Amino acid sequence: MSKERIQDDLEHGPQPSLPRAVPSRSITLAVDGSPIPRRVSSRSATFDVSSIPRGTSLPQHAQTDDDDTGVKEDASPDVGDAIPGARASMNNRMNGQPRRDTYSFQPPPYGNPSAKIWGLYLSRAEKTDKGVLETWSDITNGVLVLAGLFSATVAAFITILSFPLLQRNPTDSTNLLLTQISQQLAALSNGTTLSTQLIASISDQSSFKPTASAVRVNVLWFVSLALTTLSALWATLMQQWSRRYVLAADRPYAPQNRARLRMFFAEGVEKFGLGAAVKMLPAFLHLSFLVFYVGLVEFLFPINRIVAYCLLAVVIIGLALYVVLSIMPLCYPESPYQTPLSSFLWFVKASAPLVKDWFRRKADVMRERRMNISLGMRRGLERAAFGLNWARDARALRWTLISLDGDYELEEEFLNALPGAFKDSPSQHYSIGLGKRMHRSINKVTHELLITCSSNLLPEHIRRQRLAACLGAIWCFPETAKRHCDAIWGQWPEITNDPWAQVSTEAWTNAVNSVTDSNPLIAFHAHCVQAIIAAMWCSGRWLCPKFEASLLLQRQLDASCVVMREYLTGNRDHLQLAVAANLLSNALQLLSRMEAGSDVLHLKAVMDVICDGLDVSDVPGDLKARFVDRAEVMTAYDPVQDVAPDSHHRHCALDLDGAWTKVFRSGHTQYESTIVERSL
């Protein structure tokens, strides 16, 4: 097509021409003028060349390789020439005006956005259904096997022993006829006739009527056989219904439709009690066993009463044991023994209070009881297991620790996870009870691991990791915390090889983290340990990176960065006095919550050692504000009281004129001893 023809069409409109076949070719025009992408993106639009009016010119670089149109596919398009209104929109954007596109583009849906959430539902549902169906399959398979064996046994008893008792024995008829013939021949030989009484007896013997015992035996055994075969039939139907449920929920549909289909049939299974029906299936088989044994006892009574009574005793004992096993889960929820009758008895027990609530018009209580009953027996027993029982939890944790069998890596992992059990404890009573049962085992395992940490045989990062795990477990129990505190305190005069006395940043960090523990004994020893380690660092007895020490001291003293900078750059005695004052002020608050003991003297000894030789001259005012009032110390230590001669209390002398008085606000010049009475 010539340029003159195109210009003429644009000015005067397209001229009529003969129709010709133009191949419908789609090209992708990029809005930003970039090369044509192979896929349609959110910034591209697809146009059909055949849909463009005849006479509309395409830019030269947007031509295809068609001979009639001269368009090239691999060229970049000019949207302003190909799309009406696009040129104006692009000019508006260049002039700062808002974009006004005369066309809209909807990206094709590349998947359902809700498929992910429904896929999660299906994965959980398939896992749950798999466990339930495996349980149902085990029950039905067991019933089928046992029903097949037992039905064969019952059928043999009926065929051989009981059923012949319901009909005349052909041998008896033959014997009766022979008896009658012999009596007639004897009478003819003697020239006499048969007496009327003899004829009547013979006629009575010819008429047959089964005994009542035979009828009862056959009734019982046929009922047993019927129950057994019905159990097998019921088990077969259960398997078919289970397969139908699985196939119905596993159709090749979209995830949301599969989820709706599965929930539809799952609600039907729950509504019509398919699970309860499967669990009650063995009950029919158990009933058939009972009926068979009753019939066997009835069968033996006419034959031999001694054998019958022995069998009856065995049946009664077995029946009593069955009843006990059925009731046991109601009395002991942790009992592993139960029967199909247990669920029914649990339902009766749980439903009995509804009658009383109905008379009292307690609608809310009745609604809650119905909800609990609808959850079933298993959920009811699970709620009993979820109750708080620190003794059971302690046994479980000790069993876990024993099962590790001395594996240091697994024991380290156990100790590392142990503090979580105490942080998640619902009450202090629970933590105390759990600690009393666990501290001996933890003490032994921790001691073994601490020895490996002090042997210099482990890589440094593994040693520090194991040490942190051990210290985290130590600060869970008051007994181990006190042992660790005494060991750290023993490092002040001279360094020892006690594995519990490893002074490290891990020990300092765990002490700082444990000062807020709800147990006052643990918090008290944590304050002592952090004060001792801080004083050892301040006095140069133990080396630690200054950056780590400053962070720990800032948390320990609850000081700002500016105050810590002044402490670290100024007189170290002032920093050590701040540590001692912080220990005393926090310890006084904990002493009122602690039981009487030797902790008073322990605190005083620690304070004297920390404050010994410190210069208290030129103490700044903000540091003096941290000091403790002398009267507060006297009140917290409860001065001496009169003690009866036969009392088991021990007196402890407390010197209020020692070195620790340097952190007292009010001065004291004369020596004074106060006897503090504490019961140990």
Side-chain angles (χ1 to χ4, degrees):
M1 181 180 293
S2 63
K3 293 183 179 181
E4 293 80 1
R5 174 66 181 275
I6 295 176
Q7 185 67 25
D8 184 73
D9 289 343
L10 291 176
E11 295 177 357
H12 305 287
Q15 302 295 327
S17 60
L18 294 176
R20 56 191 180 93
V22 179
S24 177
R25 183 182 300 271
S26 296
I27 60 173
T28 303
L29 304 180
V31 175
D32 55 0
S34 60
I36 300 174
R38 292 185 176 273
R39 286 190 174 181
V40 178
S41 63
S42 60
R43 298 200 58 189
S44 62
T46 301
F47 302 96
D48 194 349
V49 178
S50 61
S51 63
I52 302 177
R54 286 180 58 87
T56 304
S57 62
L58 295 175
Q60 186 176 0
H61 56 268
Q63 305 297 309
T64 64
D65 57 355
D66 188 91
D67 294 338
D68 297 329
T69 58
V71 179
K72 296 181 180 179
E73 290 183 352
D74 57 349
S76 300
D78 189 350
V79 182
D81 295 334
I83 309 173
R87 174 75 67 183
S89 176
M90 295 177 67
N91 293 334
N92 292 338
R93 293 179 62 190
M94 295 176 63
N95 296 330
Q97 300 179 6
R99 176 179 176 178
R100 296 180 182 178
D101 291 335
T102 57
Y103 66 95
S104 61
F105 173 73
Q106 298 294 335
Y110 289 103
N112 195 330
S114 64
K116 185 175 182 179
I117 186 65
W118 290 119
L120 179 62
Y121 166 81
L122 288 173
S123 63
R124 299 297 301 173
E126 289 174 359
K127 184 178 180 180
T128 303
D129 292 343
K130 182 180 180 181
V132 172
L133 293 175
E134 286 180 355
T135 303
W136 292 357
S137 178
D138 293 340
I139 293 175
T140 53
N141 290 335
V143 169
L144 286 174
V145 173
L146 188 57
L149 297 175
F150 186 65
S151 61
T153 304
V154 176
F157 271 83
I158 292 175
T159 304
I160 300 173
L161 299 178
S162 67
F163 188 72
L165 300 177
L166 297 178
Q167 56 186 354
R168 181 190 296 274
N169 193 345
T171 305
D172 294 340
S173 301
T174 303
N175 294 335
L176 181 62
L177 291 175
L178 292 174
T179 302
Q180 184 178 0
I181 292 172
S182 63
Q183 290 178 355
Q184 289 178 352
L185 291 175
L188 290 175
S189 62
N190 295 331
T192 60
T193 59
L194 294 176
S195 62
T196 306
Q197 184 177 2
L198 183 59
I199 296 173
S201 63
I202 293 174
S203 62
D204 291 340
Q205 292 179 6
S206 62
S207 62
F208 173 78
K209 183 179 181 181
T211 62
S213 176
V215 173
R216 290 194 294 268
V217 169
N218 279 274
V219 168
L220 292 173
W221 283 358
F222 272 103
V223 170
S224 176
L225 181 61
L227 290 175
T228 305
T229 53
L230 287 176
S231 299
L233 176 61
W234 192 257
T236 304
L237 292 175
M238 290 292 180
Q239 290 184 345
Q240 293 179 357
W241 294 334
S242 301
R243 285 193 293 268
R244 176 178 176 271
Y245 169 69
V246 173
L247 294 176
D250 193 17
R251 302 292 294 172
Y253 297 137
Q256 62 271 22
N257 292 333
R258 287 182 57 200
R260 294 173 185 135
L261 193 62
R262 186 266 171 190
M263 193 62 193
F264 178 77
F265 285 101
E267 289 179 346
V269 168
E270 183 178 357
K271 178 180 180 181
F272 293 98
L274 181 58
V278 174
K279 293 178 182 179
M280 290 300 295
L281 180 60
F284 292 98
L285 199 58
H286 298 172
L287 182 60
S288 68
F289 274 92
L290 177 62
V291 173
F292 171 76
Y293 280 114
V294 173
L296 187 58
V297 172
E298 178 65 28
F299 176 78
L300 291 175
F301 260 108
I303 301 174
N304 193 310
R305 288 185 175 271
I306 296 177
V307 178
Y309 279 123
C310 292
L311 180 60
L312 180 61
V314 173
V315 172
I316 292 175
I317 293 174
L319 182 61
L321 183 61
Y322 188 88
V323 173
V324 171
L325 294 178
S326 301
I327 300 175
M328 191 173 291
L330 279 66
C331 303
Y332 304 97
E334 69 276 11
S335 172
Y337 306 110
Q338 67 176 27
T339 66
L341 189 61
S342 301
S343 299
F344 175 75
L345 295 177
W346 179 87
F347 177 79
V348 173
K349 179 183 177 182
S351 302
L354 288 175
V355 180
K356 182 175 63 176
D357 296 336
W358 184 80
F359 281 108
R360 294 182 179 181
R361 298 295 190 272
K362 295 182 178 180
D364 296 337
V365 179
M366 292 179 63
R367 189 180 301 108
E368 183 178 358
R369 289 188 183 276
R370 289 196 190 98
M371 184 178 298
N372 294 333
I373 293 173
S374 64
L375 295 177
M377 176 181 174
R378 182 174 62 86
R379 293 289 182 86
L381 299 180
E382 288 177 355
R383 287 196 300 272
F386 291 155
L388 295 179
N389 191 326
W390 53 264
R392 185 187 302 117
D393 293 351
R395 290 193 296 270
L397 293 177
R398 282 191 300 177
W399 177 87
T400 305
L401 192 58
I402 293 173
S403 65
L404 300 180
D405 197 19
D407 190 333
Y408 287 162
E409 294 183 359
L410 294 179
E411 288 177 349
E412 177 187 342
E413 184 178 354
F414 179 87
L415 296 181
N416 194 26
L418 183 63
F422 289 86
K423 292 180 181 179
D424 193 36
S425 61
S427 63
Q428 186 176 358
H429 176 72
Y430 176 89
S431 301
I432 294 175
L434 188 63
K436 288 181 179 179
R437 293 293 185 94
M438 288 291 300
H439 80 274
R440 295 183 183 275
S441 302
I442 298 300
N443 192 2
K444 179 181 177 181
V445 174
T446 304
H447 182 74
E448 295 176 355
L449 293 180
L450 287 176
I451 291 176
T452 63
C453 294
S454 60
S455 61
N456 297 326
L457 298 178
L458 296 175
E460 181 62 19
H461 68 283
I462 296 179
R463 187 194 70 82
R464 299 189 65 175
Q465 182 178 354
R466 180 170 295 181
L467 180 61
C470 294
L471 292 172
I474 285 173
W475 287 106
C476 293
F477 309 96
E479 296 82 3
T480 53
K482 185 178 186 305
R483 180 179 178 180
H484 179 59
C485 179
D486 294 340
I488 295 294
W489 169 239
Q491 295 291 92
W492 186 275
E494 60 179 350
I495 303 300
T496 64
N497 294 326
D498 187 359
W500 287 73
Q502 300 181 46
V503 181
S504 59
T505 55
E506 287 80 12
W508 196 355
T509 303
N510 278 276
V512 171
N513 294 333
S514 301
V515 295
T516 57
D517 196 276
S518 59
N519 192 316
L521 288 174
I522 296 178
F524 174 79
H525 291 111
H527 280 291
C528 292
V529 169
Q530 71 173 5
I532 294 171
I533 296 178
M536 292 178 69
W537 180 78
C538 294
S539 61
R541 296 174 178 268
W542 171 66
L543 300 179
C544 173
K546 187 175 182 181
F547 174 74
E548 296 181 2
S550 62
L551 291 179
L552 292 172
L553 282 170
Q554 185 176 356
R555 289 185 56 191
Q556 179 176 340
L557 301 178
D558 193 17
S560 62
C561 297
V562 177
V563 174
M564 282 304 306
R565 189 179 300 109
E566 294 177 356
Y567 283 152
L568 294 174
T569 57
N571 190 351
R572 284 295 182 91
D573 288 353
H574 294 171
L575 177 58
Q576 200 162 334
L577 286 173
V579 170
N582 179 73
L583 170 60
L584 183 58
S585 61
N586 288 285
L588 292 179
Q589 300 176 9
L590 294 171
L591 286 176
S592 60
R593 299 166 51 194
M594 294 166 53
E595 298 179 357
S598 60
D599 295 314
V600 174
L601 294 181
H602 182 78
L603 174 62
K604 197 263 179 185
V606 172
M607 291 289 300
D608 282 341
V609 170
I610 294 177
C611 298
D612 186 27
L614 298 181
D615 184 12
V616 294
S617 61
D618 195 19
V619 176
D622 57 344
L623 178 56
K624 288 184 178 180
R626 292 178 175 270
F627 290 175
V628 182
D629 190 4
R630 180 185 180 84
E632 185 179 352
V633 178
M634 296 287 294
T635 303
Y637 279 170
D638 190 13
V640 64
Q641 300 176 358
D642 294 334
V643 182
D646 57 347
S647 175
H648 296 285
H649 292 73
R650 187 177 70 178
H651 297 281
C652 300
L654 183 63
D655 184 7
L656 292 182
D657 274 341
W660 70 328
T661 58
K662 294 180 180 180
V663 294
F664 289 178
R665 283 182 190 167
S666 57
H668 189 73
T669 57
Q670 297 180 353
Y671 177 82
E672 176 182 282
S673 295
T674 303
I675 305 300
V676 179
E677 178 186 338
R678 297 288 180 184
S679 59
L680 300 177

